[in-house]
Amino acid sequence: MSHVTYVGRYIFFPLTYQSQDISFTKWVTLLTLGLAPLIAHILAGTPRASYLSKRRPKWHEQFVHYNPKSILWRYAAIADRRIRARNWGRADIAAANAIFWTSEGWDGSEAMVDRSLPYCTHIPDHARIAVFSGEMVKTLVVTLQGTQAVFALTSSLASGTYNDGFDRSMAVDFIFSPLAFIGLLWVFCALWLTDDFNYTAKHPAHHSTSLLQISPGYEPTRRNSMDSLIDSPSDGLPLSGHRYRSTSLWYSRAFRALYLLLLLVMLTAALMFLIGFSPTDMRFPTIGFTATSFTMLLFYIFFLAATSVICGVYFAAGSSSTVLPCNTAPWYKLYTAAIMTIGLVTLIISCLETHQTPCGKFTTVPGLNGDYYACDTLSQTTVPLGRDDSKFFGISGTRTWGLGENYTLHSGESLVYNVTEGGKR
């Protein structure tokens, strides 16, 4: 095994291929656990596009919506729009959840609530999600995942240990778990997230009584196609200013400040795990990183730092669109590609480094060091050889395993831990 690299108080374990003995069934379990938070976050948060133009968006105009940053912005925009609504109705919830592709690009502005209404062929039955619905199931799943992630994070930081929480020796089954914490921001708009709507440009909806009733004071004008609506957006269309209060109001600003604060808290937590700060050990002890844990931390720090800056800028500017204003900019597309690339690289590295220890846990720390530190707990220093946490078996070696005892092994000597209840022999 290659020697570890020391940089100040940091230890970097070499990238080691050690996953060759993991069976197919275990790989299925590991990848399911590892990708579940990512899949839940993307599927639950990515909006369904409503195409109101004959030209469909190109692939690079669509994949930006899968950027977790775009999803987090959408959560904040929907919640903020609900806070500022004068009279929240079915048209509001439908338009807030839809992102419209027009001849001018993506549009998630408040004006689309009125502009798109004549072309809505299906609208939710209520102005919030139903208790017994798929949306409520997604809300419960995301909330439970986020709660578990918060508990693991706070317990790890409070105790200064990582075996039962966020561990720097993490395997492939853990790398995307922090996304569950990010997804917890979903709760701000959970009651108003729905896919129960449909807009079409091919056959403008007839202005039935039910559709007219959801938009008081709005007298639509029949049009032959959505293209004419988009090409002449100001022709006979009502303004949506009567629907929503200004973003400059104090409660809108308070919500945006709280949302930004939570993003900064998550960024701070990621930095704390990078520098190794613990409230129970102010001396900043030596910290070890595998290639998996280091690249994963860089992924979240890069993502959260950029997210905080972008949200801060557009919050200050008072943007109210559910589509991130910069999502068509070349630099944002490059940023999205970079985020996806780093995430994919982290996944590949973790797949190469992951191996199973004698106690059944998975780790990416190579060799016996990985076996010991993955199986070690605060209550015992035995590496159990079985899966029943038995204290009657242990492991022997020619080193003291860093237990802090002032003892030097001589040539030919070995140290055996907990072969019996009496401790080491």
Side-chain angles (χ1 to χ4, degrees), residues 21 30 34 54 56 114 116 128 140 158-159 164 173 222 267 272 274 280 291 306 310 342 369 407 411 423:
D21 296 327
L30 287 171
K54 292 180 180 179
R56 292 302 177 95
D114 292 321
S116 63
R128 58 171 177 76
L140 293 176
S159 64
D164 298 322
D173 57 340
R222 289 185 181 272
L267 174 59
M272 289 173 66
L274 179 65
T280 60
I310 294 173
I342 297 175
N369 285 327
Y407 182 81
S411 176

Side-chain angles (χ1 to χ4, degrees), residues 139-160:
T139 297
L140 293 176
V141 170
V142 172
T143 303
L144 288 175
Q145 285 185 340
T147 302
Q148 188 275 334
V150 170
F151 176 79
L153 174 66
T154 54
S155 62
S156 296
L157 289 176
S159 64

Side-chain angles (χ1 to χ4, degrees), residues 63-387:
F63 88 119
V64 290
H65 296 300
Y66 294 92
N67 187 331
K69 168 68 198 78
S70 300
I71 295 174
L72 290 180
W73 172 263
R74 177 172 173 257
Y75 291 165
I78 293 176
D80 181 63
R81 186 177 294 187
R82 177 63 185 92
I83 290 172
R84 295 182 294 104
R86 299 179 187 274
N87 184 21
W88 184 263
R90 292 187 290 159
D92 299 278
I93 188 174
N97 282 273
I99 54 171
F100 300 98
W101 174 255
T102 72
S103 60
E104 299 174 354
W106 295 108
D107 194 336
S109 65
E110 296 173 358
M112 289 303 294
V113 178
D114 292 321
R115 292 171 57 190
S116 63
L117 186 59
Y119 302 88
C120 181
T121 58
H122 177 72
I123 205 161
D125 294 331
H126 306 284
R128 58 171 177 76
I129 64 172
V131 175
F132 300 101
S133 63
E135 288 83 3
M136 183 60 72
V137 172
K138 288 191 290 186
T139 297
L140 293 176
V141 170
V142 172
T143 303
L144 288 175
Q145 285 185 340
T147 302
Q148 188 275 334
V150 170
F151 176 79
L153 174 66
T154 54
S155 62
S156 296
L157 289 176
S159 64
T161 60
Y162 305 94
N163 295 75
D164 298 322
F166 284 58
D167 195 338
R168 293 186 185 88
S169 65
M170 63 192 67
V172 68
D173 57 340
F174 185 81
I175 56 174
F176 291 118
S177 292
L179 278 179
F181 185 31
I182 296 172
L184 197 59
L185 295 174
W186 159 292
V187 299
F188 286 109
C189 60
L191 294 179
W192 305 285
L193 280 176
T194 182
D195 288 328
D196 187 25
F197 59 85
N198 189 58
Y199 294 87
T200 180
K202 294 182 179 179
H203 303 289
H206 295 293
H207 302 295
S208 63
T209 302
S210 60
L211 284 178
L212 287 175
Q213 287 177 347
I214 65 175
S215 181
Y218 172 48
E219 298 179 359
T221 302
R222 289 185 181 272
R223 294 179 181 272
N224 294 324
S225 70
M226 180 55 84
D227 293 333
S228 62
L229 174 65
I230 301 304
D231 293 339
S232 304
S234 62
D235 182 19
L237 291 173
L239 298 176
S240 60
H242 68 284
R243 286 183 175 275
Y244 307 103
R245 297 177 179 87
S246 171
T247 57
S248 63
L249 295 179
W250 71 267
Y251 39 82
S252 176
R253 290 182 174 179
F255 165 73
R256 294 176 180 222
L258 173 62
Y259 200 87
L260 182 60
L261 176 62
L262 292 177
L263 291 175
L264 293 175
V265 167
M266 288 186 281
L267 174 59
T268 302
L271 291 172
M272 289 173 66
F273 275 92
L274 179 65
I275 65 176
F277 172 78
S278 170
T280 60
D281 194 339
M282 303 298 290
R283 297 169 299 168
F284 296 92
T286 300
I287 299 301
F289 288 101
T290 64
T292 297
S293 60
F294 188 69
T295 54
M296 194 206 75
L297 276 173
L298 292 181
F299 168 80
Y300 287 107
I301 291 173
F302 175 52
F303 162 67
L304 289 170
T307 299
S308 300
V309 171
I310 294 173
C311 280
V313 169
Y314 287 116
F315 281 165
S319 176
S320 61
S321 174
T322 55
V323 176
L324 192 64
C326 62
N327 78 330
T328 57
W331 67 265
Y332 188 74
K333 295 177 182 179
L334 290 176
Y335 163 70
T336 301
I339 284 291
M340 293 182 176
T341 301
I342 297 175
L344 179 60
V345 169
T346 303
L347 177 62
I348 294 174
I349 290 176
S350 65
C351 286
L352 294 174
E353 284 193 318
T354 296
H355 76 279
Q356 190 171 20
T357 63
C359 65
K361 294 183 179 180
F362 291 89
T363 183
T364 53
V365 177
L368 291 177
N369 285 327
D371 294 344
Y372 177 74
Y373 289 109
C375 297
D376 185 28
T377 66
L378 289 176
S379 60
Q380 64 182 52
T381 56
T382 301
V383 178
L385 300 181
R387 299 179 185 275

